[in-house]
Amino acid sequence: MSNIALNYSGQTGDLDLTGHRLNITTGEAAIEQNLRVRLLFFLESWFLDRRLGIPYYRDVYVKAPNLLLLQHLFRTTVLGTTGISNVDSLEVRTDKTSRKMTLTFRATMDTGAVLVYNPFVIEI
């Protein structure tokens, strides 16, 4: 698997133009980047297929989110990512005072490498 490389500053990604050129990412780094893009992808935001993405407005950005539903949504997203073979653990927590949701998970890639997000933070 290969993709155009992105440089992340927090949750926002921008093209990696190191060396004043467009760079390509491959292997495990490409799988991790693809997963990050999928986790930040809002439902109905892509005009070519409005069925893709996570329903943030419907299920995440609500007053009292259903944590079991969120665990299912994120587990399905992680497991549905090309190159991920198993989700070993996944936990969703919300903090109302800081208005942040943290997603902590451990997944195994097809290569056998372990991918750990501790934590993936979403501002709610």
Side-chain angles (χ1 to χ4, degrees):
M1 166 181 246
S2 65
N3 208 338
I4 295 172
L6 299 177
N7 223 349
Y8 281 93
S9 173
Q11 297 289 6
T12 57
D14 200 2
L15 293 174
D16 180 7
L17 299 174
T18 305
H20 303 291
R21 61 187 170 90
L22 207 55
N23 294 296
I24 303 295
T25 184
T26 60
E28 294 170 359
I31 295 169
E32 183 176 356
Q33 177 178 297
N34 186 25
L35 176 58
R36 183 183 292 253
V37 168
R38 286 180 52 112
L39 288 172
L40 294 171
F41 193 57
F42 281 64
L43 180 68
E44 298 183 351
S45 64
W46 191 36
F47 73 98
L48 291 177
D49 192 347
R50 302 185 55 80
R51 298 170 295 167
L52 297 178
I54 295 175
Y56 279 101
Y57 294 120
R58 185 187 72 202
D59 297 328
V60 179
Y61 297 151
V62 294
K63 186 174 184 177
N66 181 341
L67 294 181
L68 291 176
L69 174 64
L70 295 181
Q71 284 181 338
H72 173 72
L73 285 172
F74 289 116
R75 181 179 298 275
T76 303
T77 300
V78 172
L79 199 52
T81 303
T82 303
I84 301 288
S85 60
N86 189 33
V87 177
D88 304 321
S89 65
L90 185 133
E91 183 180 10
V92 178
R93 290 185 187 174
T94 57
D95 184 3
K96 293 179 183 179
T97 56
S98 67
R99 298 186 49 86
K100 292 184 179 179
M101 182 183 77
T102 56
L103 173 64
T104 305
F105 66 90
R106 179 183 170 102
T108 305
M109 296 184 197
D110 292 341
T111 61
V114 176
L115 176 64
V116 177
Y117 270 78
N118 189 20
F120 185 81
V121 179
I122 300 168
E123 294 185 10
I124 54 176

